[in-house]
Amino acid sequence: MKIMVIQGPNLNMLGLREQNIYGPMKLEDIHEQMEGFAKQANIEIEFFQSNLEGEIVDKIQECLGVCDGIILNAAAYTHTSIAIADAIRAVQIPTVEVHISNIHAREEYRHKSLIAPHCAGQITGFGPFSYHLAMVAMSQILTEIQAMKQAENQAGEQN
Ligand code: DQA
């Protein structure tokens, strides 16, 4: 089982950027923790960060047939990007939406996520720990997919 972690614009600035909102942790440190979780859960994991909307769309499309799940913090594009929302709809790969800050407790323009309706769920507001919670959610989703596939295979063998 393989998952892709996609990080949107300005998340490469974590650790420097608005520490009062996002805290002092760097993106590399968050990824290191996720890698540790993935190892223990026997999940293959890859990371991608881009400040460009089109590159994020490309990466989501590349996941088709390659990844079983996506963890996505589309950052500011969460609130604006029909293209990213459409890409998630198109690939139909289970996606967990993540935010470090609680987008619902911030400016009104951050309350709406165009991506949320196409995701398995949204985790928002737990600081960098949001990514850990996303890993827990994703490993549960992958377990369910595996169980479903096994049941399908068994049913196929009986027919
Ligand atoms: C964010 C929330 C977004 O509103 C913001 O534009 C970000 C980060 C978060 O993780 O809290 O860049 O996605």
Side-chain angles (χ1 to χ4, degrees):
M1 290 287 194
K2 177 171 177 174
I3 66 169
M4 180 67 68
V5 180
I6 301 177
Q7 307 278 14
N10 299 308
L11 293 172
N12 56 320
M13 302 267 295
L14 286 179
L16 289 171
R17 171 189 186 204
E18 297 179 281
Q19 284 202 22
N20 56 324
I21 297 173
Y22 300 110
M25 211 167 165
K26 291 190 166 127
L27 194 62
E28 303 87 75
D29 300 329
I30 291 173
H31 287 175
E32 206 177 298
Q33 286 190 350
M34 293 173 90
E35 209 150 22
F37 184 106
K39 225 179 206 160
Q40 283 202 335
N42 214 10
I43 296 169
E44 203 183 324
I45 192 164
E46 206 180 303
F47 302 97
F48 176 78
Q49 189 277 329
S50 176
N51 295 324
L52 305 178
E53 187 176 18
E55 285 189 0
I56 295 170
V57 170
D58 282 345
K59 185 50 75 176
I60 293 168
Q61 290 183 8
E62 279 171 28
C63 288
L64 198 59
V66 180
C67 295
D68 303 288
I70 297 173
I71 291 178
L72 171 64
N73 185 348
Y77 288 139
T78 305
H79 319 296
T80 61
S81 180
I82 298 170
I84 293 175
D86 278 351
I88 294 165
R89 281 168 70 143
V91 295
Q92 300 243 322
I93 297 169
T95 300
V96 175
E97 177 183 352
V98 184
H99 300 285
I100 298 165
S101 62
N102 180 355
I103 57 171
H104 303 289
R106 298 184 62 191
E107 300 92 334
E108 206 171 328
Y109 59 82
R110 294 186 205 272
H111 294 182
K112 187 158 178 66
S113 165
L114 299 184
I115 286 154
H118 314 297
C119 290
Q122 182 190 68
I123 295 167
T124 184
F126 297 95
F129 193 65
S130 288
Y131 288 99
H132 176 80
L133 296 174
M135 288 298 291
V136 174
M138 185 50 78
S139 66
Q140 177 59 27
I141 290 169
L142 297 181
T143 304
E144 283 167 17
I145 292 173
Q146 254 171 346
M148 239 163 55
K149 277 186 186 162
Q150 260 171 13
E152 275 169 16
N153 285 345
Q154 275 171 2
E157 279 165 20
Q158 278 164 11
N159 290 333

